[in-house]
Amino acid sequence: MSPATGTATETEFAPGSVALVGGGPGAADLLTVRALRLLRQADVVYFDRLAPTEDLAVWAPRARLEDVGKRPGHHKVPQPEINRLLVASALAGLRVVRLKGGDPFVFGRGSEEAAACEQAGVPVTVVPGITSAVSVPAAAGIPVTARGISKSFTVVSGHDPLSEEELAGLAQLGRQGGTVVVLMGIGTLGHTAAGLMRHGLDARTPAGLVERGCTPQQRVCLAPIDQILLASAVEGIASPAVLVIGEVVRLAAGAELPWSGLTGLAGFTGLTDLVDNA
């Protein structure tokens, strides 16, 4: 990135600039001190659906608050318009905070927003946030790595169906003991689970879904990979949820996974629609 992009320091948040702020996984007390400092100085805050917002009016007392959050299948403010709003507000001399869930650069369009600011000559700074890829599994007692179990983890987006090549690579990673973390993967859960097994991942591989992790509404659904679609549909697991696949899931589940011994995906071909509409 250009020299205009940097890390916020203890210097003043200058008028006419943009801060891309990671709000963490949802809990207010997981927002960083740096993020709170910039919110206090902001003139306008454009916030996402998954950003922590319950106390936003308190954190940003002088700011105009604008909801530009996207929901599955509904983008009330398209990304190009968000980019335009950030640039226009900064060029008008405002201190602009773009408050995002998780980390701005983990499947969050943060790089696109930074590029739009830079192309317009607007100074932009990035404030990292705690990504849900690590924090949400941890909140459910699932470490993404553990000595003697897994020494690597891969994070992928499940927003769109994974390709056969991607599924084959992830299945190989799983067979070698790595952990797979899928964000935004509820709608493609059946495709992912079936594809991984088709490419050789053991059907008994533990899987876990953590819905609304790090919040009081957190729920956890644990099952072997061939049961995870059935289990999630019966338990009504809905977005946002993080999917974790690998032996590390047993550290939360204990010796036996719930839902073991039931008929798997092959006997429940119609459940994809149930999960898509959950």
Side-chain angles (χ1 to χ4, degrees):
M1 290 187 176
S2 75
T5 302
T7 302
T9 64
E10 291 303 316
T11 58
E12 183 182 0
F13 185 12
S17 63
V18 171
L20 304 178
V21 176
D29 56 359
L30 292 178
L31 197 67
T32 66
V33 173
R34 183 173 293 169
L36 287 171
R37 180 175 59 81
L38 295 183
L39 284 168
R40 282 196 295 268
Q41 300 177 63
D43 297 309
V44 58
V45 178
Y46 295 101
F47 62 92
D48 270 355
R49 175 176 70 102
L50 298 180
T53 57
E54 286 187 9
D55 297 316
L56 188 52
V58 176
W59 300 334
R62 54 184 285 182
R64 184 177 82 249
L65 307 180
E66 299 284 349
D67 181 359
V68 294
K70 303 179 182 70
R71 299 181 185 277
H74 177 61
H75 295 180
K76 67 177 181 180
V77 184
Q79 188 61 48
E81 177 63 10
I82 294 175
N83 296 348
R84 189 196 68 78
L85 288 169
L86 296 178
V87 169
S89 297
L91 292 178
L94 302 180
R95 297 174 178 87
V96 182
V97 166
R98 174 73 169 107
L99 181 62
K100 308 172 78 67
D103 182 274
F105 284 176
V106 180
F107 306 136
R109 302 287 188 98
S111 59
E112 298 173 35
E113 293 166 353
C117 292
E118 291 172 359
Q119 290 168 7
V122 171
V124 57
T125 189
V126 178
V127 180
I130 300 174
T131 174
S132 61
V134 174
S135 59
V136 167
I142 303 172
V144 293
T145 64
R147 187 173 60 171
I149 299 174
S150 175
K151 59 183 179 181
S152 68
F153 68 97
T154 296
V155 182
V156 298
S157 168
H159 182 267
D160 297 313
L162 296 168
S163 69
E164 290 301 308
E165 182 179 6
E166 290 168 329
L167 289 165
L170 293 173
Q172 181 179 7
L173 173 73
R175 292 195 304 271
Q176 295 171 344
T179 303
V180 177
V181 180
V182 184
L183 306 185
M184 302 178 289
I186 286 292
T188 55
L189 178 59
H191 171 85
T192 300
L196 291 174
M197 289 186 291
R198 186 169 61 251
H199 286 282
L201 187 66
D202 192 319
R204 297 167 295 179
T205 302
L209 280 165
V210 187
E211 177 189 314
R212 298 191 178 276
C214 301
T215 74
Q217 294 76 40
Q218 175 175 302
R219 293 197 300 151
V220 181
C221 176
L222 303 168
I225 189 66
D226 71 334
Q227 303 295 322
I228 194 65
L229 180 61
L230 168 63
S232 66
V234 173
E235 296 191 15
I237 300 297
S239 177
V242 174
L243 171 65
V244 188
I245 304 166
E247 290 298 322
V248 291
V249 174
R250 294 192 190 278
L251 297 179
E256 296 294 333
L257 292 174
W259 299 92
S260 295
L262 299 179
T263 303
L265 284 174
F268 291 88
T269 55
L271 282 182
T272 301
D273 290 336
L274 288 177
V275 177
D276 286 344
N277 296 320

